[in-house]
Amino acid sequence: MQVKGIADDIQGVIFDMDGLLINSEKLYWDANIQAAEEEKIGTPRDAYLKLTGATVKEMQDFYHKYFKTEADRDRFIKRTDDLVWQWTDEGKLKLQPGVQEALDEFQKRNLRMAIASSNYEDVLQHALWATGVRNYFDFYLSYLDVQKGHIKAKPAPDIYLAAAKKMGLPKKNILVFEDSSTGVQAVASAGLKCIMVPDLISPTEQDKENAIMICQNFFEFLKKI
């Protein structure tokens, strides 16, 4: 596949999942707000945006700031996860704009496709079944693979290096799509080409350096092939 602005022929595509393929970041944000209000935590509503694409350390710092005990933190996290799971079953989880069209186009062009997500395996599978796109992908890497492989989570490049290796293509022929600064940094550190499709948070100056292209949605990207 030839893409305007990219010299190399693209033969494989790797996707992040949350906030990129699906609108789950918005659901998690809403769930965080509801869980916090139920627990009367009193955090500002925009505080949860800090959890979007956050590193492990950033998440730990957030929880340490707002929760007195680990039990309080764990109850909050479980309630958040349960709400997103429930809303997924209720049909509130949707593909992001242009994702279905992009998957169809990439499949038509016989590109290899994979997912490299920081989310849990059961959540990943639940989301893909709910949105009907599971069978587009050759393989999936999740937080389970981070644990099993004893590799570092994003923004470390490890999961993208593992995905590129499993895809079996030269790095120059692989394109990665990400929505968060953490993910974009991971892709850049892996030496792979990254297209950023921002979700809830606008791109930073560092994102503009690390990504080879920033598109508002997948429809915008499709115009470039």
Side-chain angles (χ1 to χ4, degrees), residues 17 81 117-125 142-144 147:
M17 184 179 74
D81 290 343
S117 171
S118 297
N119 213 327
Y120 295 102
E121 178 73 14
D122 60 339
V123 176
L124 183 151
Q125 294 293 344
S142 68
Y143 189 65
L144 177 64
Q147 293 175 309

Side-chain angles (χ1 to χ4, degrees), residues 12-127:
V13 181
I14 302 172
F15 302 89
D16 175 48
M17 184 179 74
D18 292 292
L20 186 278
L21 292 177
I22 54 178
N23 68 337
S24 50
E25 293 288 17
K26 179 63 168 64
L27 295 188
Y28 277 108
W29 188 18
D30 290 342
N32 283 329
I33 291 171
Q34 181 170 326
E37 289 178 347
E38 289 173 357
E39 292 289 328
K40 297 181 173 55
I41 295 170
T43 47
R45 287 189 165 216
D46 61 358
Y48 308 106
L49 276 176
K50 295 182 176 65
L51 298 179
T52 301
T55 64
V56 173
K57 184 182 184 306
E58 287 169 342
M59 294 183 74
Q60 289 174 340
D61 290 345
F62 177 90
Y63 294 137
H64 180 74
K65 180 178 180 180
Y66 290 110
F67 296 92
K68 294 179 181 178
T69 68
E70 289 187 2
D72 291 340
R73 177 203 64 191
D74 292 346
R75 187 167 61 250
F76 170 82
I77 293 172
K78 184 178 187 305
R79 179 57 175 154
T80 295
D81 290 343
D82 287 348
L83 282 169
V84 174
W85 192 281
Q86 173 190 328
W87 293 342
T88 298
D89 286 340
E90 290 172 355
K92 294 180 181 178
L93 187 74
K94 306 289 185 183
L95 295 177
Q96 296 281 57
V99 167
Q100 185 65 66
E101 290 79 0
L103 293 177
D104 288 338
E105 183 65 25
F106 296 162
Q107 185 180 67
K108 187 171 70 176
R109 291 171 181 262
N110 296 315
L111 300 185
R112 295 206 67 195
M113 289 189 278
I115 289 176
S117 171
S118 297
N119 213 327
Y120 295 102
E121 178 73 14
D122 60 339
V123 176
L124 183 151
Q125 294 293 344
H126 188 222

Side-chain angles (χ1 to χ4, degrees), residues 145-207:
D145 297 281
V146 172
Q147 293 175 309
K148 287 194 308 183
H150 303 290
I151 62 178
K152 295 178 181 178
K154 302 174 188 177
D158 301 29
I159 195 167
Y160 280 117
L161 290 171
K165 182 177 180 180
K166 189 166 184 176
M167 189 162 273
L169 294 171
K171 283 186 179 182
K172 67 177 184 177
N173 301 121
I174 296 174
L175 193 59
V176 183
F177 287 90
E178 263 284 359
D179 69 291
S180 71
S181 296
T182 302
V184 171
Q185 179 62 59
V187 179
S189 298
L192 293 162
K193 299 180 183 69
C194 183
I195 305 291
M196 186 180 193
V197 184
D199 184 28
L200 299 181
I201 299 177
S202 298
T204 64
E205 290 303 314
Q206 189 63 53
D207 293 333

